[in-house]
């Protein structure tokens, strides 16, 4: 069984409420959300979609974070909220009183190999100490899936990226 399937099976066992921020909705988005219904309770924040619990809000990014803080949802997806990368996480940092956010993505390549990839932005792992913390956090995540961590490092940021981080 691949890692994606393990995650989906685990999610089915412990059903969660997941908030997703949507500024705009089309048929492809609705189709994707429908596919999630057997796995999680989807709460749409920002737009209204028939068949889903919806919370319309002038500030859906703040509403999502507030719902997470109040434990009204178990997780959140920014969706297609048109926030700048810096502003996207400011409310999360503020309400949860955190200074750094560390993200990674599960990737499946063209031949089916799966791996976590990160950092996913310039704001994570920018400094040496952040890289060490980031690697430790990813190792702990990998171990939660009963996998042996194997860590690879890519080259440092490129010259054009210097100064673009919001740290």
């Amino acid at each position: 069984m691949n890692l994606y399937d393990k995650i989906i099976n685990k999610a089915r066992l412990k059903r969660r409420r997941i908030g997703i921020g949507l500024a705009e909705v089309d048929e492809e988005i609705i189709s994707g959300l429908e596919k999630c219904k057997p796995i999680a309770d989807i709460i749409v924040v920002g737009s209204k979609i028939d068949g889903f619990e919806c919370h319309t809000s002038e500030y859906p990014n703040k509403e999502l974070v507030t719902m997470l803080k109040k434990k009204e949802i178990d997780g959140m997806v920014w969706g297609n909220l048109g926030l700048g990368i810096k502003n996207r996480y400011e409310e999360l940092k503020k309400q949860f009183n955190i200074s750094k956010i560390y993200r990674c993505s599960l990737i499946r390549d063209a031949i089916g190999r799966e791996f976590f990839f990160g950092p996913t932005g310039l704001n994570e792992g920018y400094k040496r100490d952040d890289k060490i913390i980031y690697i430790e956090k990813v190792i702990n995540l990998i171990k939660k899936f009963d996998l042996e961590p194997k860590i690879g490092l890519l080259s440092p940021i490129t010259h054009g990226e210097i100064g673009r981080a919001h740290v």
Side-chain angles (χ1 to χ4, degrees):
M1 179 183 300
N2 61 39
L3 183 53
Y4 174 82
D5 291 333
K6 283 183 182 181
I7 293 170
I8 295 300
N9 287 338
K10 198 171 196 174
R12 281 190 174 110
L13 291 174
K14 193 165 187 179
R15 192 168 184 86
R16 302 290 187 168
R17 290 174 50 85
I18 306 297
I20 180 167
L22 294 175
E24 299 175 13
V25 178
D26 60 25
E27 290 302 317
E28 189 175 357
I29 289 172
I30 293 171
S31 174
L33 293 176
E34 289 289 342
K35 290 177 185 173
C36 295
K37 279 184 171 181
I39 301 164
D41 296 327
I42 306 300
I43 293 79
V44 177
V45 179
S47 295
K48 180 127 179 68
I49 303 175
D50 289 338
F52 291 90
E53 180 182 333
C54 299
H55 296 252
T56 56
S57 173
E58 190 175 339
Y59 301 102
N61 61 318
K62 288 183 181 182
E63 179 75 15
L64 268 172
V65 177
T66 299
M67 291 173 75
L68 187 64
K69 178 83 174 184
K70 291 180 176 179
K71 298 185 179 184
E72 295 171 3
I73 57 176
D74 301 301
M76 62 184 228
V77 178
W78 290 117
N80 62 13
L81 298 178
L83 307 169
I85 193 70
K86 183 177 182 183
N87 296 331
R88 179 169 287 179
Y89 299 103
E90 290 309 309
E91 189 67 23
L92 191 63
K93 288 177 178 180
K94 184 174 105 181
Q95 286 199 42
F96 282 88
N97 194 30
I98 54 177
S99 60
K100 301 266 185 200
I101 295 174
Y102 299 94
R103 305 170 293 157
C104 68
S105 299
L106 176 60
I107 306 286
R108 183 182 297 148
D109 69 13
I111 60 173
R113 293 176 299 193
E114 295 174 320
F115 54 94
F116 287 107
F117 183 83
T120 61
L122 293 175
N123 297 335
E124 301 119 24
Y126 188 73
K127 297 177 181 171
R128 182 185 174 276
D129 289 346
D130 286 341
K131 288 177 185 11
I132 293 167
I133 292 167
Y134 184 88
I135 290 168
E136 288 170 349
K137 289 183 178 299
V138 171
I139 286 171
N140 290 333
L141 175 65
I142 292 168
K143 287 180 177 179
K144 286 183 178 184
F145 295 102
D146 297 321
L147 298 172
E148 181 183 336
K150 296 177 187 175
I151 304 296
L153 298 173
L154 298 174
S155 64
I157 62 173
T158 65
H159 219 277
E161 293 171 334
I162 294 174
R164 286 180 49 202
H166 305 287
V167 291

